[in-house]
Amino acid sequence: KKLDFFKRMPISKAQSFIDIVEEEHYSKGDTIIKKGTKGDRFFIIYSGNVAVDSGGLEEKKIYGEYDYFGEVALVTDSDRAADVTAVTDVVAYTIEKYKFLNFIVGTGFEKTLKSLARIRSSETWNLLSTNRFFRQCTATQKTWLESIFIPEERDAGDIIIKQGDPLEKIYVIREGEVDLISDNKLIATLRKGDFIGTMLEVSKGEPAAFTFANRGPVSLYAMKAEDILEFTEHYPGLLMRLVYEFDNNGLS
């Protein structure tokens, strides 16, 4: 019930899961995964916390109860990209590589993990940690968001979103500046880590409240409306928090 990927799987998968997991215990300070080694298992934390260090992170990546890790090396058949260390005593459930790959084949979770493997980097994590809303997300929620990012580049003088148009995507700025315009008046200039469009508008099916235009070249991560809706359906509490911030602080 606590694992988000089960919400996208048939109930019959639960018995298969129970049959293939193994319980493991780690003491505080133990190295659970060593960077550069071959990926052999998928990990789910039952209790405790781990630190993930892949280098280049501006904010520490800490995983806790019901977070999972170690999946990218399995779906890409590559070496481990990070060190994972037990910050506390840890109880974890693990699944051997080929049992895990057989378990996820043909599921939405497999699609998510393959998307994540293509896009995940220290840059995406740092960007999520910069944004005020994304900072509130758990490590697993940030991982899900990384998996729906689509890199886009826009030339100077572009209109990214036009006021009144339906929101098919929203964006997070990677590099560059974007003007926020209402009724042809400049309201603010957005920079790295800021939203273009809002999850709130997408969730309510509302048109864009503002125009977003870039005077110079800009790099973005796009998120499709259908992917955002799936995310907010799984984490309605985050959407409620976003509504609160929007109502009390204006644009988030």
Side-chain angles (χ1 to χ4, degrees):
K1 290 182 179 180
K2 298 289 187 179
L3 296 173
D4 60 4
F5 58 80
F6 263 116
K7 296 175 184 176
R8 291 170 281 169
M9 290 185 180
I11 192 65
S12 59
K13 281 285 189 180
Q15 184 59 52
S16 300
F17 177 80
I18 292 168
D19 290 341
I20 61 177
V21 295
E22 297 180 9
E23 184 175 315
E24 297 191 13
H25 294 252
Y26 299 91
S27 298
K28 180 180 179 179
D30 283 353
T31 297
I32 300 173
I33 288 177
K34 183 70 176 174
K35 185 175 181 179
T37 59
K38 293 299 292 184
D40 61 349
R41 283 170 295 168
F42 174 66
F43 295 80
I44 302 164
I45 301 171
Y46 180 68
S47 65
N49 297 95
V50 305
V52 181
D53 184 8
S54 56
L57 297 178
E58 296 172 5
E59 185 174 292
K60 209 170 200 179
K61 188 184 290 191
I62 301 292
Y63 285 14
E65 280 186 2
Y66 311 120
D67 286 333
Y68 46 84
F69 58 93
E71 69 281 354
V72 172
L74 306 187
V75 297
T76 60
D77 195 29
S78 58
D79 292 343
R80 297 294 195 187
D83 292 319
V84 179
T85 306
V87 177
T88 65
D89 290 345
V90 171
V91 178
Y93 288 105
T94 67
I95 306 175
E96 292 179 2
K97 177 178 179 178
Y98 293 105
K99 290 180 180 178
F100 174 72
L101 294 177
N102 287 333
F103 176 70
I104 67 170
V105 68
T107 66
F109 190 44
E110 180 186 36
K111 180 182 176 182
T112 296
L113 294 183
K114 287 183 175 179
S115 298
L116 180 63
R118 288 193 296 269
I119 196 69
R120 178 188 262 177
S121 67
S122 58
E123 182 205 359
T124 55
W125 185 267
N126 290 338
L127 194 64
L128 288 169
S129 300
T130 298
N131 182 278
R132 187 173 66 193
F133 170 64
F134 290 148
R135 285 176 66 91
Q136 303 175 54
C137 297
T138 67
T140 294
Q141 290 163 355
K142 288 180 183 178
T143 297
W144 183 318
L145 288 164
E146 284 180 299
S147 76
I148 65 174
F149 277 178
I150 304 168
E152 287 192 14
E153 302 289 330
R154 297 296 186 100
D155 295 329
D158 197 6
I159 293 179
I160 302 167
I161 294 176
K162 187 175 181 181
Q163 187 174 5
D165 282 356
L167 275 174
E168 297 177 351
K169 297 177 183 177
I170 65 172
Y171 303 82
V172 180
I173 301 173
R174 298 172 67 187
E175 295 292 342
E177 297 182 343
V178 174
D179 289 336
L180 173 71
I181 301 166
S182 178
D183 299 323
N184 297 316
K185 294 180 180 178
L186 178 63
I187 305 300
T189 298
L190 308 181
R191 297 177 175 83
K192 182 176 180 178
D194 287 332
F195 274 127
I196 299 175
T198 72
M199 287 190 175
L200 181 59
E201 288 169 329
V202 170
S203 67
K204 291 185 174 182
E206 295 177 348
F210 302 95
T211 291
F212 298 85
N214 54 299
R215 284 174 280 181
V218 65
S219 297
L220 309 166
Y221 282 121
M223 293 176 282
K224 294 180 181 177
E226 58 264 34
D227 292 331
I228 294 167
L229 288 172
E230 185 180 3
F231 177 79
T232 55
E233 283 171 8
H234 280 81
Y235 302 110
L238 280 173
L239 184 60
M240 290 173 65
R241 203 176 306 162
L242 180 60
V243 171
Y244 176 82
E245 287 206 3
F246 189 91
D247 287 343
N248 287 275
N249 300 305
L251 282 174
S252 57

